[in-house]
Amino acid sequence: MTQERKVALVTGASRGIGAAIAQQLIQDGFFVVGTATSEAGAEKLTAQFAENGAGAVLDVRDADAIENLVSHIEKEHGAVLVLVNNAGITRDGLLLRMSEDDWDDILNIHLKAVYRLSKRVLKGMARARFGRIINISSVVAHLANPGQANYSAAKAGMEAFGRSLAKEMGSRQITVNSVAPGFISTEMTAHLSEDICKKMNEQVALGRFGEPQDIANAVSFLASEKSSYITGNVLHVNGGLYMA
C-alpha cells in the first residue's frame, strides 16, 4: 500500500447507519468521502468531517456521476481502498400492486449501484493489493417480509454478488463482505408506535432495537486488518432476530 492514509467511500452517509459508519471510519484513521443526495447534505458532511474527509453529492443510479466522483477522489486523495455500499431507499408494497418503477428503483439503488461502484474501485484496490468492499444488506434477505419483494430480492442479490466477487478478487487481497442489520433505531423507525415496537422487540432475542453504532462497529472490523482472512461472508447484526 502506497497511500499514507487509506481512503474510504461511504454512500448514503448523511444520516442513520451511514453517518455512524462514516464517523467510525474517521475514528479508525481513514480519510472518508461520504455521499449525500443533495448539495446541502454534502456541505454538512464536509463541515462535520473537517480535515478528516469530504462530502459529495451522488445519485448512485447515475453511472457518469459514479465515474466522475471516483475519478475526483483518486486525483485529490488517492485510490478508494474501502468501499461501503450503504445508500438505500424503500418502496414497499404488495407485489400485486407494485409498479415497475418501484421494482426498478430498488434494484438499481441496492444492486446495480453496488456493481457499478465496486467495479470502478477494483483497479485501485488491485494495484494496492489491499481492498475492502462492505455491502450493507438486511435481515430481510434471509427472513420473509410481506410487501418487500423488491427490497428482499435486491439485498439477497447483493450478498450473492459479494460472494462471487470475493472469489474473483481474493488473490489480490481484496475482501468482499456484507453486514446484515436487523431492527435498528433510525429516523425511519422513530415514527413507529410503542405497540409496534413492542411486537418487533418480542422477535429479538436481546429484546431491543440495535443502534447505528452497532452496524458501524461491524463495518469497522471488516475494514480493518483484523478481518484480513474473512471474505465472502455475511455478518448478521440483529440481536438474535435471525440466527444463521
Side-chain angles (χ1 to χ4, degrees), residues 40-68:
E43 290 172 2
K44 184 178 178 181
L45 287 173
T46 297
Q48 289 175 346
F49 295 170
E51 72 276 7
N52 298 309
V57 177
L58 179 66
D59 180 347
V60 296
R61 297 168 295 185
D62 187 334
D64 290 337
I66 289 172
E67 172 61 35
N68 292 338

Side-chain angles (χ1 to χ4, degrees), residues 4-122:
E4 289 185 10
R5 194 176 188 190
K6 294 190 290 292
V7 176
L9 172 59
V10 181
T11 64
S14 61
R15 61 180 180 170
I17 289 171
I21 291 170
Q23 289 296 335
Q24 182 60 54
L25 291 178
I26 286 173
Q27 290 181 36
D28 293 342
F30 291 93
F31 183 91
V32 175
V33 177
T35 75
T37 56
S38 68
E39 288 286 354
E43 290 172 2
K44 184 178 178 181
L45 287 173
T46 297
Q48 289 175 346
F49 295 170
E51 72 276 7
N52 298 309
V57 177
L58 179 66
D59 180 347
V60 296
R61 297 168 295 185
D62 187 334
D64 290 337
I66 289 172
E67 172 61 35
N68 292 338
L69 175 60
V70 177
S71 294
H72 174 77
I73 294 170
E74 291 173 339
K75 180 180 178 181
E76 297 296 324
H77 309 292
V80 174
L81 299 184
V82 174
L83 170 64
V84 183
N85 287 305
N86 170 73
I89 61 169
T90 55
R91 292 284 187 270
D92 295 350
L94 297 177
L95 191 64
L96 280 170
R97 294 192 288 271
M98 184 179 292
S99 69
E100 287 206 19
D101 285 344
D102 286 345
W103 176 269
D104 289 343
D105 272 351
I106 294 299
L107 270 291
N108 283 334
I109 289 173
H110 290 273
L111 188 54
K112 193 166 188 178
V114 171
Y115 148 75
R116 285 173 168 162
L117 281 156
S118 300
K119 183 178 180 181
R120 180 58 185 81
V121 301
L122 281 176

